[in-house]
Amino acid sequence: MTAVGASARATNKAASSLFAALGFGLSGAAFTLGMLLLARELPVEAYGRFTLAVALFNIFGLLTPLGVDQLFLRGPMRAGKGLLAFLILSGLVVGGLAGMVAGLLGGLHPVEAWLTALAIAGGGLVAATSAGLRARAVPGASMLLAISASFVLLLAGAAAVAFGLKDGTAPLAIFAAGNIVFGAIGWCLLRRRAKDGDAVHPARRWREAGSMLGLVALGTVSLQVERIIIPIPLDLKELALFGVLASVAIFPFRLLASGVGFTLAPRLIGAQRARRQAVVLAEARPLLAVIVAATAGLVACGPWIAAMVTGGLYAIGPALILAACANGVGKVAMAFPRAMLTAAGSPADLVLLNGWGVVGLALTVCGALAGAASGITGLLWGATLGGAIPTLFTLHLAWRRLGKD
């Protein structure tokens, strides 16, 4: 058994679906409560800017490692000073560019833009070290790092309520500082688990980094694309409404998608080839039951929850909740082929998956813009339907790959 295989098998035993579901469930509760507390306390436009900053963090915080986090999962890498310098530099460059563009085009105030950049830099280090610890069969610490941003967000929301904050700068500063602190903690933990036999920077695996980065980029943008598009055909008030909607009805499905990525790829790496399709089915069946129950519960209770927590400031009807749930199910479906091909796909498969991802993203954007004439409800249905066909094609590709010898 290779070192990578042993690591994957150990991870498979420790990082069960129940463990992942519990961790991401707690993260979802913290994220939702934090965002709703901020929605209750901040003025509408300030909350709209804050939710845009969080969307940028969710996208670029996972992109700043430039594929290093995925290389950790594909094989051993040495966590040395050079890698740390690379991660810090990439975080500052990517975060700085994202913050600058958000300030110029997205309406963020200058201080908010720079705090967003720092949060992104810290989030990139968290993402890389979390993946490194998961590859080294330390799923507990990896999970805590993966969900740390949600609890920092909850702290920011609690501070806004406790001190009566009416501006998004202080909560965003708390969010940025927390991500930097957890990034530093993650690096220290990863260094403690370093092994002398870990590879330095194998050229072959660095060539795969482009494809892996493409998958991460497409995945993260797909998760946030609606939030980015809304200010184009609609306005910041609608974006603020979507922020509440996402906290109540979409984020739970994003957690399920994250759980698929956290558990499925290591299980497939550690499984015998003949059993890989069975592993996917075993992962999908309970998720389907959870999705049906969650959708029914959210449609019934979501409007009441949103009105209660925000003090009636935001009104969300059952039709909008249902559209959000359908959109969330699409996010979960997208996570399966990515995890399957990360574990078993060839470099050519990864390139093809990237190509279908670009097509899916383009169709999602076109569908969202076409549906925006009917408001957020139409935008969500358009985005969901636009991305459905490419998702089906990539699922077919990944399923066939798992069945090959």
Side-chain angles (χ1 to χ4, degrees), residues 136 169 176 219 252 279 293:
R136 286 169 168 77
T169 303
V279 169

Side-chain angles (χ1 to χ4, degrees), residues 16-160:
S16 65
S17 291
L18 181 61
F19 173 80
L22 176 61
F24 285 114
L26 291 173
S27 172
F31 179 93
T32 299
L33 182 56
M35 289 298 289
L36 291 176
L37 288 174
L38 287 163
R40 183 186 183 96
E41 198 67 29
L42 296 178
V44 172
E45 289 197 359
Y47 180 69
R49 294 195 304 273
F50 188 92
T51 195
L52 177 60
V54 171
L56 293 171
F57 167 83
N58 286 334
I59 294 173
F60 292 103
L62 293 177
L63 296 184
T64 57
L66 301 182
V68 167
D69 53 333
Q70 301 302 305
L71 291 181
F72 271 126
L73 296 176
R74 299 276 285 185
M77 288 189 68
R78 181 174 299 167
K81 294 180 180 179
L83 185 59
L84 176 60
F86 173 83
L87 291 171
I88 292 175
L89 180 61
S90 65
L92 291 174
V93 171
V94 174
L97 290 174
M100 181 176 65
V101 172
L104 293 174
L105 303 178
L108 293 187
H109 295 166
V111 175
E112 293 172 338
W114 283 111
L115 289 173
T116 301
L118 292 175
I120 288 171
L125 188 56
V126 169
T129 55
S130 175
L133 289 168
R134 181 153 45 111
R136 286 169 168 77
V138 194
S142 174
M143 172 64 76
L144 290 175
L145 287 172
I147 65 177
S148 61
S150 293
F151 289 93
V152 175
L153 188 62
L154 176 59
L155 176 62

Side-chain angles (χ1 to χ4, degrees), residues 281-346:
L281 291 175
E283 187 85 11
R285 289 190 187 103
L287 275 180
L288 181 60
V290 170
I291 285 171
V292 172
T295 300
L298 288 169
V299 170
C301 302
W304 173 77
I305 294 173
M308 179 189 67
V309 177
T310 64
L313 185 59
Y314 296 91
I316 299 176
L320 184 53
I321 293 284
L322 181 60
C325 290
N327 186 268
V329 172
K331 311 297 188 190
V332 178
M334 290 177 187
F336 273 91
R338 176 183 165 191
M340 293 157 70
L341 291 177
T342 295
S346 66

Side-chain angles (χ1 to χ4, degrees), residues 128-370:
T129 55
S130 175
L133 289 168
R134 181 153 45 111
R136 286 169 168 77
V138 194
S142 174
M143 172 64 76
L144 290 175
L145 287 172
I147 65 177
S148 61
S150 293
F151 289 93
V152 175
L153 188 62
L154 176 59
L155 176 62
V161 173
F163 297 102
L165 302 177
K166 299 301 180 183
D167 182 79
T169 303
L172 194 53
I174 294 172
F175 188 62
N179 278 284
I180 293 171
V181 168
F182 276 106
I185 292 172
W187 181 259
C188 292
L189 292 175
L190 186 60
R191 284 291 300 155
R192 290 180 60 185
R193 300 289 299 190
K195 299 176 182 178
D196 292 336
D198 285 351
V200 182
H201 294 157
R204 180 183 64 82
R205 287 182 44 234
W206 273 107
R207 287 196 295 269
E208 294 179 1
S211 294
M212 302 307 298
L213 177 60
L215 294 182
V216 175
L218 290 167
T220 53
V221 172
S222 296
L223 288 176
Q224 300 292 328
V225 64
E226 296 83 6
R227 198 184 302 255
I228 296 173
I229 291 173
I230 284 174
I232 299 174
L234 303 175
D235 55 31
L236 280 177
K237 291 183 179 179
E238 297 295 320
L239 180 59
L241 175 62
F242 180 80
V244 175
L245 177 66
S247 299
V248 172
I250 296 179
F251 194 72
F253 294 96
R254 284 190 55 208
L255 295 177
L256 293 178
S258 298
V260 170
F262 191 87
T263 62
L264 184 57
R267 287 183 173 187
L268 290 173
I269 292 172
Q272 296 178 354
R273 187 176 298 274
R275 285 190 45 81
R276 284 178 172 176
Q277 290 181 340
V279 169
V280 174
L281 291 175
E283 187 85 11
R285 289 190 187 103
L287 275 180
L288 181 60
V290 170
I291 285 171
V292 172
T295 300
L298 288 169
V299 170
C301 302
W304 173 77
I305 294 173
M308 179 189 67
V309 177
T310 64
L313 185 59
Y314 296 91
I316 299 176
L320 184 53
I321 293 284
L322 181 60
C325 290
N327 186 268
V329 172
K331 311 297 188 190
V332 178
M334 290 177 187
F336 273 91
R338 176 183 165 191
M340 293 157 70
L341 291 177
T342 295
S346 66
D349 290 330
L350 298 178
V351 172
L352 186 57
L353 182 60
N354 272 300
W356 274 114
V358 172
V359 172
L361 183 60
L363 291 176
T364 298
V365 172
C366 291
L369 292 175

